[in-house]
Amino acid sequence: MKAIVCPRYGSSDVLQLKEVEKPTPKDNETLVKVHAASLNAADFEILRGTRNVRIIGSDIAGRIEAVGRNVKQFQPGVEIWGDLSLHGFGTLAEYVCVPENALRLKPASMTFEEAAAIPTAAVVALQNLCGKGPIKLGQKVLINGAGGGVGTFAVQLAKYFGAEVTGVDSTGKLDMLRSIGADHVIDYTQEDFTENGQQYDLILDVVVHRSVFDYKRALSPKGICVFVGGSMTRVWLNILLGLLISLMGSKKMGLVMWKPNKKEDLVFLQELFESGKIVPVIDRRYPLSEVPEALRYLEEGHALGKVVITVEHH
Ligand SMILES: NC(=O)c1ccc[n+]([C@@H]2O[C@H](COP(=O)([O-])OP(=O)(O)OC[C@H]3O[C@@H](n4cnc5c(N)ncnc54)[C@H](OP(=O)(O)O)[C@@H]3O)[C@@H](O)[C@H]2O)c1
């Protein structure tokens, strides 16, 4: 089978499309024929050396091709989706073996591409939005980095929960943010949301690069700031200093522990998808052979929402 192989750490240029042996499922595994995968920041973070993974890719949508003898939930032929972040990655390939407990039945209402766009980014968005307590009707929520994979789901979810939502991103992403429901948009190239005198009840920051004192200024008296991603040095520094600020006053800052592929979250997201409350914003689709280019596009920050990889089987 064909797979995108990561022979060493580096940039997306080190990735190679190779012919590798098709895997055989163990007793508790399914063999999945991959139809679509989507890219996430984790993919280029792994490439830079955070983990040793031969075939990257966490989000998957596909069809079960074969099952090990102890597999109970799935039969060959059924369509599945899921996030393999805790199960060895490997979705940027024609086939991957996956423990059955990592997969969910794909709703018939979703295309493979839509299903592949949701698991990582939407679950990260949902857990970070709700992880410090439920969003209340009318609360002012700001999403910094709103135009990317996580942000586009966060905007729609915050709207679903009844918040007044401000999305912050670069100029070319603002119309899209309005189209998915953002009440207000801020172009970060023109305006600093921590300097404009506005205050927010919840700030979700996907690209943390400010000091905790900036966030503190932009929070309402009982506001909460959640650090989702960005430079890890800055994120960890802010978590430590944010802890001190949280202990000393009414404004809270910190991290929400991510639980990938949580069943209840995927069920909830499926319901929202089916009722039209969330749509995956898919910017571009690339074939498997063009993963290096797709990853470069994502890493350079051009993507409006998600970048999906479609896997053709001939
Ligand atoms: N905490 C968790 O549980 C968890 C779990 C998984 C992943 N993560 C992290 O979450 C992040 C993933 O984000 P993603 O997939 O949504 O990334 P993404 O698709 O690259 O989106 C990032 C967005 O931020 C924008 N941006 C860049 N600089 C900005 C600035 N200074 N101000 C405002 N917006 C800016 C980018 O647009 P432009 O480039 O056009 O500016 C882009 O639209 C990663 O850092 C990942 O490590 C966290």
Side-chain angles (χ1 to χ4, degrees):
M1 68 163 189
K2 291 192 174 52
I4 293 291
V5 174
C6 175
R8 59 177 194 282
Y9 296 136
S11 66
S12 51
D13 299 333
V14 306
L15 295 172
Q16 295 167 0
L17 181 71
K18 278 197 163 173
E19 197 63 43
V20 300
E21 199 174 328
K22 186 173 167 183
T24 307
K26 299 193 187 103
D27 290 351
N28 67 333
E29 286 182 337
T30 63
L31 174 69
V32 179
K33 187 176 192 177
V34 182
H35 286 277
S38 81
L39 300 182
N40 291 288
D43 297 317
F44 48 77
E45 287 162 4
I46 290 172
L47 265 182
R48 288 193 202 120
T50 54
R51 262 179 264 194
N52 187 7
V53 175
R54 183 160 176 257
I55 301 175
I56 56 174
S58 52
D59 287 322
I60 185 171
R63 189 173 271 115
I64 304 275
E65 170 115 337
V67 296
R69 65 172 131 168
N70 296 337
V71 170
K72 302 272 187 299
Q73 300 177 60
F74 302 108
Q75 308 81 41
V78 302
E79 295 178 356
I80 56 75
W81 64 324
D83 169 1
L84 306 193
S85 298
L86 297 181
H87 300 278
F89 298 87
T91 67
L92 296 178
E94 288 183 315
Y95 296 88
V96 59
C97 283
V98 186
E100 66 169 332
N101 62 3
L103 298 175
R104 318 274 168 240
L105 275 181
K106 179 181 86 61
S109 55
M110 277 180 202
T111 64
F112 286 118
E113 294 176 8
E114 288 167 334
I118 293 175
T120 301
V123 168
V124 170
L126 178 63
Q127 292 181 1
N128 280 281
L129 271 178
C130 302
K132 299 281 182 192
I135 294 177
K136 299 189 191 80
L137 212 63
Q139 274 191 325
K140 292 174 77 177
V141 173
L142 179 136
I143 316 291
N144 192 39
V150 173
T152 45
F153 284 111
V155 167
Q156 298 179 75
L157 289 166
K159 280 303 294 176
Y160 169 75
F161 291 122
E164 180 183 332
V165 180
T166 301
V168 185
D169 214 301
S170 53
T171 323
K173 298 186 179 174
L174 304 183
D175 284 345
M176 178 271 288
L177 290 178
R178 287 190 195 94
S179 77
I180 57 169
D183 300 291
H184 315 282
V185 293
I186 295 177
D187 181 344
Y188 76 81
T189 67
Q190 306 293 323
E191 182 180 335
D192 183 340
F193 77 85
T194 65
E195 299 278 1
N196 65 5
Q198 297 288 318
Q199 291 193 319
Y200 300 92
D201 302 307
L202 176 63
I203 296 175
L204 209 72
D205 199 329
V206 176
V207 285
V208 175
H209 67 287
R210 292 183 164 82
S211 89
V212 287
F213 304 104
D214 293 336
Y215 293 107
K216 187 168 178 250
R217 196 168 48 241
L219 283 177
S220 62
K222 290 190 173 175
I224 298 172
C225 178
V226 180
F227 305 122
V228 183
S231 141
M232 286 324 286
T233 317
R234 170 58 82 181
V235 170
W236 283 112
L237 181 67
N238 280 13
I239 289 168
L240 286 176
L241 293 174
L243 186 64
L244 291 178
I245 287 178
S246 305
L247 289 171
M248 283 160 41
S250 61
K251 300 184 180 186
K252 307 289 175 209
M253 294 183 200
L255 182 80
V256 170
M257 287 308 290
W258 175 41
K259 298 189 188 86
N261 219 25
K262 200 171 155 203
K263 186 177 177 188
E264 304 85 78
D265 288 346
L266 286 177
V267 169
F268 179 65
L269 291 164
Q270 175 179 338
E271 285 166 8
L272 293 190
F273 173 87
E274 288 178 339
S275 59
K277 299 287 193 292
I278 59 164
V279 285
V281 178
I282 299 176
D283 179 350
R284 288 193 183 178
R285 294 145 174 91
Y286 289 83
L288 190 61
S289 57
E290 291 177 20
V291 165
E293 196 180 329
L295 209 50
R296 217 170 294 127
Y297 181 70
L298 182 69
E299 195 170 6
E300 286 166 0
H302 302 312
L304 285 101
K306 295 289 297 175
V307 173
V308 167
I309 305 301
T310 51
V311 185
E312 297 289 335
H313 293 266
H314 302 288

